[in-house]
Amino acid sequence: QVQLVESGGGVVQTGGSLRLSCAASGRPFNDYAMGWFRQGQGKEREFVAAISRSATRIVYADSVKGRFTISKDNAKSTLYLQMNSLKPEDTAVYYCAANLRASYFAVSSAKNDYDDWGQGTQVTVSS
C-alpha cells in the first residue's frame, strides 16, 4: 500500500500556471508507476498523464499535450505536474495515483490499473 498526498492546487486566471505535487510513502518510490487524473464537477474521472517506474516512458491525454509536464523526484519521493497555459476547462479536482503492478517500463492511462489514490487537490481556472 502507498499513501499519497496532493498539494499545490489553487485559483488562477486563464493562461496562468500551477505546479501540483504528490508526496508518496509506504513503499520504495521506484517500485510503482504513477499517474494524474482529474474530475470536473458533474463529469467522469479522466486520465491526464502518467510516468513509468523507469521515468523513460510518459503518456499524456490529448487535451493537455504541450501544456502539462509530468515528472518525479526519486530523492524526495514526489510526483509533479507542471501545468501551463491553463484554460477554464482544466478546472477540476486533480488526483495522483500509484500502479503497484506495473513492470519497470510500463505506463498506463487506464484508471482500473491504479491501486492507491490521494484525496485530491482543487484547481480552478477563472475566465
Side-chain angles (χ1 to χ4, degrees):
Q1 183 175 289
V2 176
Q3 293 78 48
L4 304 170
V5 180
E6 301 97 335
S7 62
V11 181
V12 297
Q13 294 182 343
T14 297
S17 298
L18 283 173
R19 188 178 74 159
L20 306 184
S21 298
C22 175
S25 61
R27 284 181 177 269
F29 188 62
N30 209 34
D31 279 3
Y32 42 91
M34 302 188 74
W36 289 97
F37 294 77
R38 67 187 183 186
Q39 185 168 13
Q41 186 172 353
K43 299 181 179 180
E44 299 290 333
R45 181 177 55 183
E46 66 177 2
F47 171 75
V48 176
I51 187 168
S52 65
R53 292 166 57 191
S54 65
T56 59
R57 288 187 176 181
I58 292 172
V59 176
Y60 295 101
D62 288 343
S63 59
V64 306
K65 285 181 179 177
R67 300 189 298 121
F68 291 10
T69 302
I70 188 171
S71 63
K72 61 177 182 175
D73 186 334
N74 290 337
K76 296 182 178 180
S77 297
T78 300
L79 177 75
Y80 300 100
L81 184 69
Q82 178 67 47
M83 305 185 295
N84 299 325
S85 301
L86 284 162
K87 306 173 182 179
E89 49 262 47
D90 295 318
T91 295
V93 177
Y94 283 71
Y95 301 90
C96 67
N99 179 358
L100 303 181
R101 296 161 290 175
S103 59
Y104 191 62
F105 296 105
V107 62
S108 176
S109 61
K111 55 189 175 185
N112 287 342
D113 285 342
Y114 292 82
D115 304 281
D116 296 316
W117 298 78
Q119 292 299 304
T121 185
Q122 176 71 48
V123 172
T124 301
V125 184
S126 64
S127 60

